[in-house]
Amino acid sequence: MRITLSVIKADVGGYVGHSSMHEALMERAREILEKEKGRLIIDFHVTRVGDDLQLIMTHTRGEDNEEVHRLAWDIFEECTKVAKEMKLYGAGQDLLADAFSGNVRGMGPGVAEMSFEERPSEPVIIFMADKTSAGAWNLPLYRIFADPFNTIGLVIAENMHTGFSFEVHDVKEGKKIIFNAPEEIYDMLVFLGAPTRYMIKAVYHRENGDIAAVASTQRLALVAGRYVGKDDPVCIVRTQGHFPAVGEVLEPFTKPHLVEGWMRGSHYGPLMPVPVRDANPSRFDGPPRVIALGFQLSDGKLIGPRDMFDDPAFDEARRVANILADIMRSHGPFEPHRLPLEEMEYTTMPQVMKKLEGRFSPIE
Ligand code: F6R
Ligand code: MG
Ligand code: MG
């Protein structure tokens, strides 16, 4: 059975500030999706990470389907109404267009979708992050699908030994390229190491071309032409069999890496893996969080979720993330905690420069 798994997300109002989400928004989303279950969609799960509403849906209509995207857009609009009634913070923040026009891509929400023939057993993990941006998945996806120190299956599993190919997008130029791992990893890392511009969009099994992972690459600032909030990305990974095992897929998150997007979208901070109940970034509006929900698909039905980071084995990663958070915070307004000027989402640079224009003189 060919199934499409769609994850569509948006921030349509925070509670309190940008730290979390009011239950009423998720209730409203569930109510609407329940009506479409068995019609437009097979199954759904609604969750949130920080202030981002996550709609996880299965159906048989393929990617970029107008009806499915319209459903997501309508839900975000309905939830915005709920957020407005309660005067929640930043109601409708990510809805950048006035009306739906065929596809939510380019309209504000983030999207990750993949279609595949469901295997006899189909375990998938959906990663969702807050207070960071598209590109945050480059490092973990590289580790999962190309690094034998993370994924032993690349070395000892016969059905993975040929490696994976990576579709990398240049989001500034609107171009893409496919790299083959392992033989092109040095070329590929030139780009993946610069995740604000080059982002892994998808990963494929080399031997059979099967889709293994897909990530959202929407950059709100590029869509809107100005700062309107963070991209807070999502990523779907298929696991087991000829894909990395569940434990290999989760393993990169034991080493928290620094990502952009903390406070005012303008700071680097560690990505902390947490269970859903702890995905409420409150310290300096952070540090950035990632949740991982695991599902078994059964004819498109979502059996789950299992909250994969709800495991004491990730306690040490959380502790390291807190230590890194302290180290980064101690820099205050200095780089490398603060983003470089050209990457900053908020900046007073133009006003300050204008005010001081006459006071700059050449250095002899
Ligand atoms: C970070 C984030 C917050 C806000 C900050 C200011 O992505 O969402 O750190 O940038 O709370 O928010 P505004 O400008 O809405 O008052
Ligand atoms: Mg928000
Ligand atoms: Mg957010």
Side-chain angles (χ1 to χ4, degrees):
M1 188 174 186
R2 199 165 171 81
I3 296 289
T4 306
L5 178 53
S6 298
V7 184
I8 307 186
K9 50 81 43 183
D11 174 353
V12 290
Y15 166 69
V16 170
H18 293 280
S19 66
S20 191
M21 174 163 301
H22 196 283
E23 184 60 31
L25 269 66
M26 287 191 286
E27 283 292 311
R28 187 77 189 102
R30 287 185 194 115
E31 245 169 56
I32 302 170
L33 284 164
E34 196 60 56
K35 288 193 197 122
E36 292 300 333
K37 197 167 152 176
R39 295 148 64 105
L40 186 56
I41 56 172
I42 302 173
D43 204 359
F44 70 87
H45 180 75
V46 174
T47 190
R48 55 101 210 165
V49 55
D51 56 5
D52 288 286
L53 179 60
Q54 307 281 347
L55 310 177
I56 300 168
M57 298 172 284
T58 51
H59 53 95
T60 52
R61 290 159 195 265
E63 293 136 59
D64 286 323
N65 177 267
E66 183 165 345
E67 278 82 26
V68 173
H69 280 226
R70 183 189 301 279
L71 173 63
W73 182 264
D74 289 347
I75 291 169
F76 294 141
E77 285 201 321
E78 284 302 311
C79 292
T80 298
K81 284 186 201 157
V82 177
K84 282 189 173 154
E85 277 162 23
M86 286 188 284
K87 293 181 71 176
L88 296 181
Y89 198 70
Q93 173 180 298
D94 286 356
L95 305 186
L96 304 182
D98 296 328
F100 180 74
S101 60
N103 188 311
V104 294
R105 285 179 209 272
M107 298 176 72
V111 188
E113 293 181 292
M114 57 159 77
S115 300
F116 49 82
E117 206 58 48
E118 195 181 283
R119 293 172 291 165
S121 184
E122 186 67 64
V124 297
I125 295 178
I126 301 172
F127 293 102
M128 295 157 269
D130 188 38
K131 306 296 178 257
T132 181
S133 52
W137 310 123
N138 278 13
L139 192 151
L141 285 175
Y142 175 81
R143 284 212 170 116
I144 295 166
F145 292 103
D147 179 3
F149 279 73
N150 181 89
T151 301
I152 185 60
L154 296 167
V155 183
I156 63 173
E158 214 179 301
N159 54 12
M160 251 193 282
H161 198 71
T162 41
F164 290 87
S165 58
F166 290 69
E167 180 180 324
V168 178
H169 287 195
D170 172 348
V171 294
K172 290 210 170 123
E173 291 281 320
K175 290 186 201 153
K176 64 178 180 185
I177 179 169
I178 307 265
F179 289 107
N180 286 324
E183 62 270 34
E184 293 186 304
I185 57 171
Y186 295 165
D187 286 349
M188 180 166 82
L189 283 170
V190 171
F191 300 94
L192 294 191
T196 51
R197 173 161 181 182
Y198 299 97
M199 295 168 197
I200 299 171
K201 177 73 205 171
V203 181
Y204 298 90
H205 193 278
R206 287 280 292 281
E207 228 162 60
N208 53 31
D210 277 1
I211 183 85
V214 68
S216 62
T217 49
Q218 284 76 22
R219 293 276 290 178
L220 277 178
L222 291 178
V223 173
R226 67 192 157 84
Y227 178 70
V228 284
K230 264 293 162 196
D231 319 314
D232 298 334
V234 292
C235 177
I236 307 171
V237 182
R238 296 172 77 191
T239 79
Q240 304 292 152
H242 59 298
F243 299 120
V246 164
E248 290 168 331
V249 171
L250 299 175
E251 184 65 7
F253 297 93
T254 59
K255 295 185 191 70
H257 62 297
L258 297 171
V259 295
E260 62 162 51
W262 197 353
M263 182 52 89
R264 297 180 185 273
S266 303
H267 293 79
Y268 280 106
L271 187 61
M272 182 188 276
V274 288
V276 178
R277 64 173 176 275
D278 290 335
N280 311 302
S282 313
R283 180 201 174 174
F284 198 57
D285 288 1
R289 304 297 154 102
V290 56
I291 59 169
L293 292 190
F295 295 93
Q296 289 285 154
L297 294 189
S298 173
D299 298 326
K301 282 201 283 299
L302 290 159
I303 311 298
R306 266 219 58 224
D307 192 343
M308 305 308 286
F309 290 142
D310 192 2
D311 176 350
F314 290 94
D315 283 352
E316 197 59 11
R318 296 187 263 269
R319 197 179 72 84
V320 169
N322 273 324
I323 293 169
L324 279 170
D326 280 343
I327 295 169
M328 295 307 278
R329 283 297 303 125
S330 70
H331 291 75
F334 284 75
E335 296 178 18
H337 184 28
R338 201 182 79 177
L339 260 52
L341 277 179
E342 60 278 10
E343 296 290 343
M344 269 205 305
E345 303 283 12
Y346 280 68
T347 178
T348 44
M349 189 71 169
Q351 294 101 289
V352 174
M353 273 311 239
K354 193 152 177 45
K355 185 177 77 188
L356 300 180
E357 226 165 27
R359 288 173 50 191
F360 278 98
S361 58
I363 302 166
E364 283 85 47

